[in-house]
Amino acid sequence: YHPNVATAHGGAEMEQDPCVRKMGESAVHFSAYQPQYEIKDQYCTEIPQEGDTFLVVDLVDPALRNEPVGMRVTRGNGKNAAEGEIVADIRPSTHPDGVLRGEARLDEGLYTVTIESGQRNLTRHPQYLLRVHMIDYPKVVTSIAGPLIGVLLFAWLVYKLVRSKWLRKWWTAAP
């Protein structure tokens, strides 16, 4: 058990953590690091820069530590991950410390990280879609929408106040 995994990403509970995926009945937690840019920052699916990236999978369930687990990183959006260019391939092996580590050079674009088990006959392996050095336009629009609506509402109120008869009466009545 890794206590720091449960509090990753702002103390999110495991069920709500976007970096946790199910592997059968077990759970895995994915993190990416780029210490050449930011020493302490960890990322999940939004990787801010191109370059060498450390990929870490915490095997949350201790049972996973005794079975072979590997990781494959392919270029593309995951729909045809088996057909995509393999960027990194960490063959399944046991990880007694509960941590699967890998490294890949990621250029701008989409990548799919697939966690594979050598023992479990899973119909679907956990996957993470990585966006490397890309602008997430829906997130940008969402972050701008609130302040923009506030500014527009304030401008409308000022306009209404300036055009109001009450303000004109008050302004002309002032000495």
Side-chain angles (χ1 to χ4, degrees), residues 5 45 61 64-65 72 75-77 89 108 123 129 131-132 144 149 155 165 168 173:
V5 173
T45 56
D61 185 349
L64 287 174
R65 299 172 190 185
R72 177 173 287 160
R75 189 178 309 276
N77 65 3
D89 193 10
E108 182 176 335
T123 56
L129 180 63
R131 296 170 45 86
V132 179
I144 292 174
I149 290 171
K165 293 179 182 177
R168 278 190 244 148

Coordinates of all heavy atoms in Angstrom, one line a residue, residues 5 45 61 64-65 72 75-77 89 108 123 129 131-132 144 149 155 165 168 173:
V5 N -0.1 7.6 -2.7 CA -1.0 7.5 -3.9 C -2.4 7.9 -3.6 O -3.1 8.6 -4.4 CB -1.0 6.0 -4.4 CG1 -2.0 5.8 -5.5 CG2 0.4 5.6 -4.8
T45 N -2.5 12.9 -17.5 CA -2.8 12.8 -18.9 C -2.4 14.0 -19.7 O -2.3 14.0 -20.9 CB -4.3 12.5 -19.2 OG1 -5.0 13.5 -18.5 CG2 -4.7 11.1 -18.6
D61 N -2.7 -2.5 -5.6 CA -3.0 -3.8 -4.9 C -1.8 -4.7 -4.8 O -1.1 -4.9 -5.7 CB -4.1 -4.5 -5.8 CG -4.6 -5.8 -5.2 OD1 -4.0 -6.3 -4.2 OD2 -5.5 -6.4 -5.7
L64 N -0.8 -7.5 -7.2 CA -0.2 -7.2 -8.5 C 1.4 -7.3 -8.5 O 2.0 -7.5 -9.5 CB -0.6 -5.9 -9.0 CG -2.0 -5.7 -9.5 CD1 -2.3 -4.2 -9.8 CD2 -2.3 -6.6 -10.7
R65 N 1.9 -7.2 -7.3 CA 3.4 -7.1 -7.2 C 4.0 -8.5 -7.4 O 5.2 -8.6 -7.7 CB 3.8 -6.6 -5.8 CG 3.3 -5.2 -5.5 CD 3.5 -4.8 -4.1 NE 2.8 -3.6 -3.9 CZ 2.8 -2.9 -2.8 NH1 3.5 -3.3 -1.8 NH2 2.1 -1.8 -2.7
R72 N 3.2 -0.4 -22.2 CA 3.5 -0.1 -23.6 C 3.0 1.3 -23.9 O 1.9 1.7 -23.6 CB 2.9 -1.1 -24.5 CG 3.2 -0.7 -26.0 CD 2.7 -1.8 -26.9 NE 3.6 -2.9 -26.8 CZ 3.4 -4.2 -27.1 NH1 2.2 -4.5 -27.6 NH2 4.3 -5.1 -27.0
R75 N 2.3 5.8 -30.0 CA 1.9 7.1 -30.6 C 0.4 6.9 -31.1 O 0.1 6.0 -31.8 CB 2.8 7.5 -31.7 CG 2.6 9.0 -32.2 CD 3.6 9.4 -33.3 NE 4.9 9.1 -32.9 CZ 5.7 9.9 -32.2 NH1 5.2 11.1 -31.8 NH2 7.0 9.6 -32.0
G76 N -0.4 7.9 -30.8 CA -1.8 7.8 -31.3 C -2.8 7.9 -30.1 O -2.5 7.9 -29.0
N77 N -4.1 7.9 -30.5 CA -5.2 8.1 -29.6 C -5.7 6.9 -28.9 O -6.8 6.9 -28.3 CB -6.3 8.9 -30.2 CG -7.0 8.1 -31.4 OD1 -6.6 7.0 -31.6 ND2 -7.9 8.8 -32.0
D89 N 8.4 0.2 -24.6 CA 7.8 -1.1 -24.3 C 8.6 -1.7 -23.1 O 9.7 -2.2 -23.2 CB 8.0 -2.0 -25.5 CG 7.1 -3.3 -25.5 OD1 6.3 -3.4 -24.5 OD2 7.3 -4.1 -26.3
E108 N 5.4 16.3 -29.3 CA 4.0 16.9 -29.2 C 3.0 15.9 -29.9 O 3.3 15.4 -31.0 CB 4.0 18.2 -30.0 CG 2.6 18.9 -29.9 CD 2.6 20.3 -30.5 OE1 3.6 20.9 -30.6 OE2 1.5 20.7 -31.0
T123 N -9.9 -8.8 -20.8 CA -10.4 -8.5 -22.2 C -10.0 -7.0 -22.5 O -10.0 -6.6 -23.6 CB -11.9 -8.6 -22.2 OG1 -12.5 -7.8 -21.2 CG2 -12.3 -10.1 -22.1
L129 N -4.7 8.1 -22.0 CA -4.4 8.9 -23.2 C -3.7 10.1 -22.8 O -4.2 10.9 -22.0 CB -5.8 9.3 -23.9 CG -5.6 10.1 -25.2 CD1 -4.9 9.3 -26.2 CD2 -7.0 10.5 -25.7
R131 N -1.8 13.7 -23.6 CA -1.8 14.8 -24.5 C -0.5 15.6 -24.1 O -0.4 16.1 -23.1 CB -3.0 15.7 -24.3 CG -4.3 15.0 -24.6 CD -5.5 15.9 -24.2 NE -5.4 17.3 -24.5 CZ -5.7 17.9 -25.7 NH1 -6.2 17.1 -26.6 NH2 -5.6 19.1 -25.9
V132 N 0.5 15.5 -25.1 CA 1.8 16.1 -24.8 C 1.9 17.5 -25.5 O 1.7 17.5 -26.7 CB 2.9 15.2 -25.3 CG1 4.3 15.8 -25.0 CG2 2.8 13.8 -24.6
I144 N -12.1 30.6 -19.1 CA -12.3 32.0 -19.5 C -13.8 32.4 -19.4 O -14.1 33.6 -19.2 CB -11.8 32.2 -21.0 CG1 -10.3 32.1 -21.0 CG2 -12.2 33.6 -21.5 CD1 -9.7 32.2 -22.4
I149 N -18.2 36.3 -18.5 CA -19.6 36.6 -18.2 C -19.7 37.6 -17.1 O -20.5 38.5 -17.2 CB -20.3 35.3 -17.8 CG1 -20.5 34.4 -19.0 CG2 -21.6 35.5 -17.1 CD1 -20.9 33.0 -18.7
A155 N -20.4 45.3 -17.3 CA -20.5 46.4 -18.3 C -22.0 46.7 -18.6 O -22.3 47.8 -18.8 CB -19.8 45.9 -19.6
K165 N -32.7 57.3 -15.7 CA -33.2 58.6 -15.4 C -32.8 59.0 -14.0 O -32.5 60.2 -13.7 CB -34.7 58.7 -15.6 CG -35.1 58.5 -17.0 CD -36.6 58.5 -17.1 CE -37.0 58.2 -18.5 NZ -38.5 58.2 -18.7
R168 N -29.4 60.6 -14.0 CA -29.4 61.9 -14.6 C -30.0 63.0 -13.7 O -29.5 64.1 -13.6 CB -30.2 61.9 -15.9 CG -29.3 61.4 -17.1 CD -30.0 61.6 -18.4 NE -30.2 60.2 -18.9 CZ -31.2 59.8 -19.6 NH1 -32.1 60.6 -20.0 NH2 -31.3 58.6 -20.0
A173 N -28.9 67.4 -10.1 CA -29.3 68.0 -8.9 C -28.1 68.3 -8.0 O -28.2 69.1 -7.1 CB -30.3 67.1 -8.1

